[in-house]
Amino acid sequence: MKTLKYQYYKNFFSAAVSIILYLLIFSTPAHAVQKPDNEVSWHISALQATFDQERRLFIARGAVIITGGTTRLEADYVEFNNTTKDAHAKGNVLLVSGEDTITCNLMDLNLATETGTIYNGTIFVQESNFYIKGNKIEKTGKETYRADKASITSCSGDSPDWKLSGKEIKVTIEGYGTLKHAVLWAKNTPLLYSPYLAFPVKTKRETGFLSPRISSSERKGYEYEQPLFLALTRNSDATIYTDYMEKRGVKTGIEYRYRLSNGSKGAIFYDFLHDRHIGDNKNENKDYSFDLTPARTNSDRYWFRMKHDQIFSKLWSLKLDIDYVSDADYLREFKDGYTGFNATKNYFDDNFGRSLDDYDDTTRENRLNLNKTWSCYSLNMDLNWIDNVIARRDNVDNNTLQTLPAIEFNRLKQRAGDLPFYFDFDSEYRYFYREDTTDSRIKGSRTDFYPRIYLPFRYKSFFLFEPSAGIRETMWYTDEFKEPSGKKKSFHHREIYDIDLELSTEMAKIFNSKNWFAEKIRHEIKPMIKYSYIPEIDQDDLPKFDYFDDSTDSEDAIDEIGRKNLITWSLTNRFTLKKKSVDMNSKKENYIYREFAWFKFYQSFDINKEKDDIEKPFSDISLESEFYPGRYISLEADFKWSPYDNQVTESETGITLNNKRGDRFHTEYRYTRSNLESLYTKIDTVLTQRLSAYFTYEKDLLEHKVIETQIGMILKKQCWSLSLSFKDEPDDKSFAFMINLHGIGEFGTE
């Protein structure tokens, strides 16, 4: 009993001494001189505490905690000088500074400057997610470290999967780390040695080298691509690329990105290569030319592309797209890499919502658009220029249709006040230009007005009948056009009308299901029949700029509008499920409604063809459908079937299967009679929790030619990953090997 009382009084006395010393040393009376605003107040707690007046040392034992600002020191024993802020700590030492932590057996550190020495310790840098371990580590600043013998890894635990050890290690957070006599270890096995190694330790935008890309292919030989990132200002940055290709030369590139304000931004990319190979003779240089384009004769090759968005106000905005390439084969050859077509396309898609023309498209669109949008109206002003790469490169006639400028003013379909009808209108002005052409369609302007009125009538809840009529006024002005009679006339005009009659109804029924799939299923059927009429008028004496132009759909052509006397029927089915769902957070039950399937049949009958006794007045029967029975399966299928040949004329079918593990199977089949037949398949499978594999296969079934085959494996660990792949293409073969050491970077070949 006496022993217990003695221990009780001893603990009470120690705690009281700790409190008194804390008040004497760290408390500031109200009348005392206040500390400067930037001086940190330090607070200490411990089970036992004494104060050495001569050395001005606070000596604490047992569960010692010292806090100040964003710094926290814990240890079994601490000697702390309140004047110099030097701390000597030992026994289960833990120092938390911001988001970084240090654990060790012994530490001598100045808490104000955060400099000192850590013995037998580990430093964890959270933002970069890596550990520094060593017997003696010097903390030379708040964000700098140095050690004579230490190791670095992003793996946790005493036996990391990988680590880099070095004789002398220096690390600067938001800077770089360096190692002398660096050794890469896999567990306890040394793999690679380098006399010197530098790596980035950055989490914020800062100028410096990025990870290089190393690759090898039959076409380019060995390739080394090194990017240098430049943090120019708070709202802009750039990346400079140097791409050495053993067989082709050195390609340089620059990317410049900027943001002016919310919604106003841009990106400018440019690459240049003086190619060692040209394609004058396809038989001799078949590896450097493509069958679909003329033989390349230029050695200076480049690609300039940019996009810009500008928001002037809530109503006004501007968009600029530029795509200018040196030759038709450039984008085919440089699809991959940091500055390749695929990387640029993905960047534009993600950041601007606008893509590029396909890599094999030899006409590239350039556009400047000024737009104003109201609640019911829209104004678009365009300057469109289509760059015909082959015509420009080979200096042949260029009959590409240019639109400089185009102005459109449209009104959405709206009710006309209190009147029972609705109306909309489209209007436009276009100036057309062709650089070279063999006929008179060289240049001129066209103005078009197209108002339309609708008068919907609903009979109870059974039928909806909507007649509509449009009147189109089109005017042309050109000095170059001659009528069939040979007479030269500058001004032309045309008036034409069209009529649509649309009759539809909707029927729906709800079925009780009450199974795992759904409790109720709603089936909606919408049959519709539509009659469209456009009279036949003589248009031979009118200019024709866009009629059947390669870049214009004939249905959208305005210069020559064909007669129409068409009946179209369609049948649309939609299926919606109702299913009970449980909120995992609140545990409350609610219902979800999801459309899981729809399909539509439609066909047209051309009355004019029937009157003129032209064969096949019926169009193909078309089917469009999507089916999503569950979260792990989806099916899309489009067909066109000829009622005369009893054959499928077009087909596009795709199915995707996946599961909870992450396995995924996707295949697409495309078919157009006598024109296209291809198959694309991709399989992703999870072999183990860490190991996955993938396989892609694409084949042209019509030409009996494999377009691409690729197989690969990916191993993902907590602090590193490994990928192996082999790609086989008709004009190239490549093998990829890539190791990613998380927190340090990646290296390998591709």
Side-chain angles (χ1 to χ4, degrees), residues 612-659:
D612 298 340
D613 198 22
I614 299 176
E615 293 183 359
K616 302 180 180 180
F618 285 97
S619 70
D620 292 344
I621 298 176
S622 299
L623 167 66
E624 297 177 359
S625 64
E626 294 181 2
F627 184 40
Y628 304 96
R631 59 185 297 188
Y632 301 120
I633 180 173
S634 64
L635 174 67
E636 298 181 7
D638 296 341
F639 294 95
K640 287 187 177 182
W641 181 79
S642 172
Y644 301 101
D645 302 335
N646 292 326
Q647 291 184 358
V648 174
T649 58
E650 292 185 24
S651 173
E652 185 172 339
T653 307
I655 185 172
T656 303
L657 304 172
N658 51 58
N659 57 26

Side-chain angles (χ1 to χ4, degrees), residues 508-563:
K509 186 174 182 179
I510 298 177
F511 299 91
N512 292 319
S513 179
K514 294 185 178 179
N515 54 35
W516 64 271
F517 182 67
E519 292 189 10
K520 295 180 182 295
I521 295 178
R522 184 178 188 269
H523 178 204
E524 176 188 304
I525 302 176
K526 183 179 180 180
M528 185 189 73
I529 186 167
K530 181 178 180 180
Y531 173 71
S532 300
Y533 176 77
I534 299 176
E536 181 179 9
I537 63 172
D538 185 9
Q539 303 176 66
D540 291 339
D541 59 346
L542 298 177
K544 296 177 178 61
F545 289 106
D546 65 3
Y547 186 62
F548 291 138
D549 185 81
D550 292 339
S551 60
T552 305
D553 193 320
S554 60
E555 291 290 332
D556 299 326
I558 296 177
D559 285 330
E560 182 165 332
I561 298 176
R563 64 174 184 167

Side-chain angles (χ1 to χ4, degrees), residues 401 429-434 437 439-447 474-484 486-493 540-546 559:
L401 181 67
Y429 168 83
R430 292 181 182 271
Y431 182 83
F432 297 105
Y433 172 78
R434 279 184 172 88
T437 183
D439 57 27
S440 57
R441 299 179 300 170
I442 298 177
K443 60 182 179 180
S445 63
R446 184 185 69 203
T447 305
T474 310
M475 294 167 285
W476 294 263
Y477 184 86
T478 173
D479 289 332
E480 308 293 338
F481 182 74
K482 292 182 180 180
E483 296 181 349
K487 181 181 177 182
K488 197 171 183 180
K489 187 178 178 181
S490 299
F491 179 76
H492 298 78
H493 65 92
D540 291 339
D541 59 346
L542 298 177
K544 296 177 178 61
F545 289 106
D546 65 3
D559 285 330

Side-chain angles (χ1 to χ4, degrees), residues 76-180:
D76 295 336
Y77 175 86
V78 174
E79 294 180 0
F80 180 69
N81 188 310
N82 184 45
T83 303
T84 63
K85 305 302 185 289
D86 289 328
H88 171 78
K90 63 181 179 179
N92 299 312
V93 180
L94 170 64
L95 176 68
V96 180
S97 177
E99 296 182 346
D100 302 336
T101 59
I102 298 175
T103 57
C104 60
N105 293 333
L106 179 65
M107 174 190 295
D108 289 314
L109 193 74
N110 185 284
L111 297 183
T113 61
E114 295 189 18
T115 59
T117 306
I118 299 101
Y119 300 91
N120 192 21
T122 300
I123 300 172
F124 175 61
V125 183
Q126 181 170 322
E127 287 186 332
S128 299
N129 190 42
F130 67 79
Y131 301 82
I132 305 173
K133 298 181 180 181
N135 294 330
K136 182 180 178 182
I137 304 173
E138 296 179 8
K139 196 173 189 301
T140 55
K142 290 186 177 181
E143 295 182 339
T144 56
Y145 304 91
R146 180 191 176 279
D148 288 332
K149 292 182 180 181
S151 65
I152 294 177
T153 182
S154 59
C155 307
S156 59
D158 295 330
S159 180
D161 289 345
W162 70 268
K163 65 180 179 181
L164 284 170
S165 64
K167 184 177 181 181
E168 182 183 29
I169 296 179
K170 294 181 180 180
V171 174
T172 301
I173 308 303
E174 295 303 333
Y176 289 90
T178 60
L179 291 90
K180 293 182 179 179

Side-chain angles (χ1 to χ4, degrees), residues 651-653 668-672 676-680 701:
S651 173
E652 185 172 339
T653 307
E668 290 181 11
Y669 173 77
R670 295 183 178 183
Y671 168 78
T672 301
L676 171 69
E677 188 175 9
S678 66
L679 177 68
Y680 173 82
L701 302 177

